[in-house]
């Protein structure tokens, strides 16, 4: 198999649909080797803090969409800091503040929280994953100390985007946000769901092309999982196998990308996290949210937040991954656009 970027995209249909196990095994092996060359056998761990399940949007796939009558919560500044303190003691050096598009979290409320984390824990990376905001808001948050921003593009096909989202959401605005974040000096993460309703090989090809051209520092992909109370509640889930193949393809397209083994994949496939690492992933994101809010952040059905997905179990996870040959260094795990040499430590 030829793994230069162009030939991967030329060959994408075969790579994603073949039933020849030698082709698939070779894809995973080459992706794992590319990951090892860029980052060694290191798996970086990020603490996910779900700060609010209030959302002004009505995305058709998402369990916390505005019109779904679920119980809502948001964490206050002190609760968020408490999650960080706990996470820091457990060795986490990246905190990801994730939430719906909650109008309560104005810049006036959010910036002091980010500043507080920044000054209390100067050696952590602060990642935000709070949906679309204006450029000025992104600028203020960056100035307050945020380093990274996750905003999945969801699909690079405008018609598919319109099918997944309510009329008031706009594909061009999403793309604008991603470009603004990049210009403001964030490390930027994007991504998409695998098997979302309306997705085709053609829309997937566009996703991969977009990612190849935009060159994000991080890419998050996981299978679509139907969520109760949404228009897609009865749709079928995406394929875990296709997700694994796409992880491997992404690793080969962007060898130094930070690529999480997502909770959605672990939810759908037993052993999914380990399988993702073997297909080239190098990040895990255990949950540091307070236990009573974990169940409420139900963007899809049966979302895991316990066992190895729980922040407090990170020592267990480290032991488990050690057995299959991975280290979990307690470091920020920043994007590195270069290969480590023998003398260069990743810590
Ligand atoms: N299944 C899988 N992933 C989902 N997301 C939202 N709803 C679902 C679902 N039903 C993903 C979206 C979003 C991220 C936070 O979670 O891609 O960007």
């Amino acid at each position: 198999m030829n793994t230069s970027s162009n030939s991967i995209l030329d060959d994408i249909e075969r790579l994603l649909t073949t039933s020849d196990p030698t082709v698939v095994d070779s894809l995973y092996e080459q992706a794992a080797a590319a990951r090892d060359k860029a980052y060694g056998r290191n798996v970086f761990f990020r603490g996910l803090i779900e700060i609010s399940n209030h959302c002004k949007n009505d995305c058709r796939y998402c369990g916390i969409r505005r019109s779904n009558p679920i119980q809502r919560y948001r964490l206050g500044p002190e609760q968020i800091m408490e999650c960080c303190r706990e996470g820091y003691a457990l060795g986490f050096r990246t905190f990801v503040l994730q939430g719906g598009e909650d109008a309560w979290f104005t810049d006036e409320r959010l910036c002091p929280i980010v500043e507080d984390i920044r000054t209390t824990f100067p050696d952590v990376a602060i990642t935000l994953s709070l949906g679309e905001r204006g450029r000025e808001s992104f600028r203020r948050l960056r100035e307050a100390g945020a380093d990274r921003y996750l905003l999945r593009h969801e699909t690079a096909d405008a018609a598919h985007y319109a099918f997944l989202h309510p009329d008031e959401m706009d594909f061009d605005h999403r793309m604008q946000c991603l470009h603004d974040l990049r210009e403001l000096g964030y490390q930027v993460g994007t991504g998409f769901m695998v098997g979302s309703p309306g997705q085709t090989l053609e829309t997937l090809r566009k996703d991969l092309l977009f990612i190849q051209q935009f060159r994000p520092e991080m890419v998050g992909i996981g299978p679509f999982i139907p969520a109760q109370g949404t228009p897609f509640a009865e749709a079928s889930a995406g394929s875990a196998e296709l997700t694994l193949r796409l992880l491997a393809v992404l690793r080969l397209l962007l060898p130094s990308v930070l690529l999480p083994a997502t909770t959605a994949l672990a939810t759908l496939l037993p052993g999914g996290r380990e399988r993702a690492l073997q297909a080239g992933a190098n990040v895990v994101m255990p949950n540091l949210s307070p236990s009573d809010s974990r169940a409420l952040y139900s963007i899809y059905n049966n979302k895991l937040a316990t066992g190895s997905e729980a922040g407090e179990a990170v020592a267990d996870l480290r032991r488990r991954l050690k057995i299959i040959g991975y280290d979990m260094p307690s470091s920020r795990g920043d994007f590195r656009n270069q290969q480590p040499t023998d003398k260069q430590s990743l810590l």
Side-chain angles (χ1 to χ4, degrees):
M1 191 179 90
N2 180 343
T3 55
S4 76
S5 302
N6 282 335
S7 67
I8 293 171
L9 286 187
D10 289 345
D11 212 19
I12 194 68
E13 181 160 354
R14 188 176 69 98
L15 286 177
L16 299 184
T17 58
T18 183
S19 49
D20 180 347
T22 55
V23 173
V24 180
D25 290 348
S26 144
L27 173 67
Y28 294 154
E29 273 165 33
Q30 292 186 55
R35 182 268 328 277
D36 290 355
K37 197 166 160 203
Y39 288 100
R41 301 281 292 180
N42 292 293
V43 175
F44 304 111
F45 57 113
R46 328 288 199 199
L48 194 61
I49 306 173
E50 292 155 341
I51 66 171
S52 171
N53 72 352
H54 289 264
C55 193
K56 71 170 166 48
N57 287 331
D58 221 14
C59 306
R60 299 173 76 188
Y61 47 83
C62 186
I64 66 168
R65 72 200 297 262
R66 170 183 79 221
S67 61
N68 204 8
I70 57 168
Q71 190 185 329
R72 304 282 170 171
Y73 78 92
R74 70 171 61 89
L75 305 184
E78 186 40 46
Q79 282 174 295
I80 296 173
M81 281 308 282
E82 185 50 34
C83 295
C84 293
R85 277 192 288 274
E86 238 177 73
Y88 194 89
L90 289 162
F92 286 85
R93 293 297 177 268
T94 293
F95 299 125
V96 183
L97 272 46
Q98 185 164 80
E101 292 192 20
D102 179 357
W104 189 87
F105 278 108
T106 57
D107 296 344
E108 288 67 30
R109 292 198 171 104
L110 207 48
C111 286
I113 298 174
V114 173
E115 278 161 17
D116 198 12
I117 300 174
R118 171 56 54 242
T119 45
T120 312
F121 309 106
D123 57 337
V124 305
I126 303 173
T127 304
L128 302 178
S129 176
L130 300 168
E132 298 180 25
R133 301 176 76 94
R135 184 187 170 99
E136 180 55 17
S137 173
F138 289 146
R139 194 193 61 71
R140 290 171 72 176
L141 290 163
R142 173 91 184 103
E143 206 172 83
D147 305 282
R148 310 180 185 144
Y149 205 102
L150 307 178
L151 182 69
R152 292 185 176 180
H153 66 285
E154 310 297 359
T155 169
D157 179 285
H160 186 216
Y161 191 90
F163 177 66
L164 294 175
H165 296 98
D167 287 347
E168 63 273 18
M169 285 181 74
D170 177 34
F171 177 69
D172 294 334
H173 187 254
R174 192 130 189 130
M175 290 292 161
Q176 187 59 51
C177 286
L178 288 169
H179 285 98
D180 287 344
L181 290 162
R182 153 85 30 98
E183 275 177 30
L184 290 163
Y186 284 93
Q187 296 175 42
V188 181
T190 189
F192 56 90
M193 293 173 286
V194 177
S196 61
Q199 185 175 69
T200 62
L201 261 174
E202 221 20 70
T203 65
L204 274 176
R205 192 199 307 276
K206 287 187 186 175
D207 289 322
L208 296 172
L209 256 177
F210 165 67
I211 287 171
Q212 188 185 37
Q213 283 160 5
F214 185 70
R215 307 190 75 76
E217 282 79 16
M218 300 155 287
V219 176
I221 67 164
F224 162 74
I225 301 175
Q228 238 172 45
T230 65
F232 296 146
E234 306 303 326
S236 11
S239 149
E241 171 70 29
L242 182 59
T243 306
L244 291 166
R245 291 189 197 189
L246 282 161
L247 283 169
V249 164
L250 286 163
R251 171 60 65 201
L252 295 173
L253 281 179
L254 298 179
S256 35
V257 77
L258 291 159
L259 195 60
T262 50
T263 304
L265 181 60
T267 298
L268 203 62
L269 178 72
R273 184 182 319 95
E274 290 77 3
R275 294 277 305 273
L277 297 176
Q278 266 138 7
N282 67 336
V283 171
V284 291
M285 299 172 72
N287 199 312
L288 283 180
S289 309
S291 45
D292 49 342
S293 52
R294 281 183 202 177
L296 297 178
Y297 201 83
S298 48
I299 53 178
Y300 48 79
N301 298 341
N302 307 315
K303 181 167 152 279
L304 290 185
T306 55
S308 293
E309 293 295 325
E312 36 325 336
V314 73
D316 262 14
L317 181 58
R318 183 182 269 126
R319 270 193 292 278
R320 210 108 47 77
L321 295 190
K322 187 82 206 167
I323 296 169
I324 55 169
Y326 295 97
D327 291 319
M328 284 178 56
S330 181
S331 69
R332 288 172 44 125
D334 280 300
F335 176 78
R336 300 165 65 89
N337 206 359
Q338 71 200 76
Q339 293 164 14
T341 64
D342 288 347
K343 290 200 186 87
Q344 248 174 356
S345 160
L346 281 156
L347 300 182

